[in-house]
Amino acid sequence: MNKMYKRAYIEITNVCNLNCSFCPIDQRQQDVMSLEDFTKIVTQAAPLAEQLCLHLMGEPLAHPKFKDIIAICSNHDSRLQLTTNGLLLKRHTDLILNSDIVRQVNISLQSYMDNFPNKDILPYLNMIYDFIEKSK
């Protein structure tokens, strides 16, 4: 399917559960996108982009209606790419892995190391390895 754009980036929230030194300081009030606004955006973006990418300033898995976000993308037959710090991955593993529309999950390992430099990274990595194993 040839669409005008490879990807359209949608920031469903600017709320993040970390405070990374490499992210620019966001002066905006923390907020999540309403399902109504998200539906409007997906309706416009889906015909134009091969993939919708949930990524920018916030942690997409922190959106309280993440399950509904996935359903809206599915209703519009939109391929989805997620970028996450991975800390909330366990909460959404079944939803993500059982979805026909999630094409790619990017996990920022740098975010964990930046926020927890003195904490053992092994439990975090094991959680990510478990996610990878379940995805096979």
Side-chain angles (χ1 to χ4, degrees):
M1 176 184 318
N2 287 334
K3 295 190 179 186
M4 187 178 293
Y5 303 104
K6 290 277 187 197
R7 295 179 188 93
Y9 289 82
I10 303 172
E11 181 181 89
I12 60 173
T13 180
N14 65 348
V15 175
C16 188
N17 54 344
L18 294 179
N19 187 19
C20 300
S21 64
F22 52 85
C23 283
I25 295 173
D26 190 352
Q27 299 293 333
R28 298 173 296 162
Q29 179 179 348
Q30 290 191 332
D31 202 3
V32 296
M33 185 180 290
S34 71
L35 294 178
E36 180 182 343
D37 286 345
F38 184 72
T39 301
K40 288 178 190 175
I41 290 169
V42 170
T43 300
Q44 294 171 9
L48 300 174
E50 292 176 19
Q51 290 180 42
L52 301 180
C53 303
L54 303 184
H55 171 63
L56 286 172
M57 294 304 298
E59 169 56 50
L61 301 183
H63 193 292
K65 302 281 185 175
F66 184 73
K67 182 177 182 178
D68 297 315
I69 296 285
I70 294 291
I72 292 165
C73 291
S74 184
N75 290 341
H76 286 84
D77 199 28
S78 298
R79 303 302 252 157
L80 197 58
Q81 184 181 121
L82 301 171
T83 298
T84 176
N85 59 42
L87 290 176
L88 302 174
L89 199 55
K90 196 170 191 175
R91 178 187 304 174
H92 299 290
T93 294
D94 291 338
L95 175 65
I96 293 168
L97 296 181
N98 292 321
S99 172
D100 293 337
I101 61 157
V102 177
R103 183 197 161 275
Q104 181 172 322
V105 177
N106 305 310
I107 302 169
S108 172
L109 300 179
Q110 182 182 6
S111 62
Y112 186 89
M113 295 182 294
D114 189 60
N115 283 269
F116 309 107
N118 299 319
K119 196 170 181 180
D120 182 12
I121 196 169
L122 196 55
Y124 172 71
L125 292 177
N126 284 334
M127 178 188 58
I128 293 169
Y129 296 148
D130 288 344
F131 176 80
I132 294 167
E133 283 299 315
K134 287 180 181 178
S135 72
K136 292 181 179 181

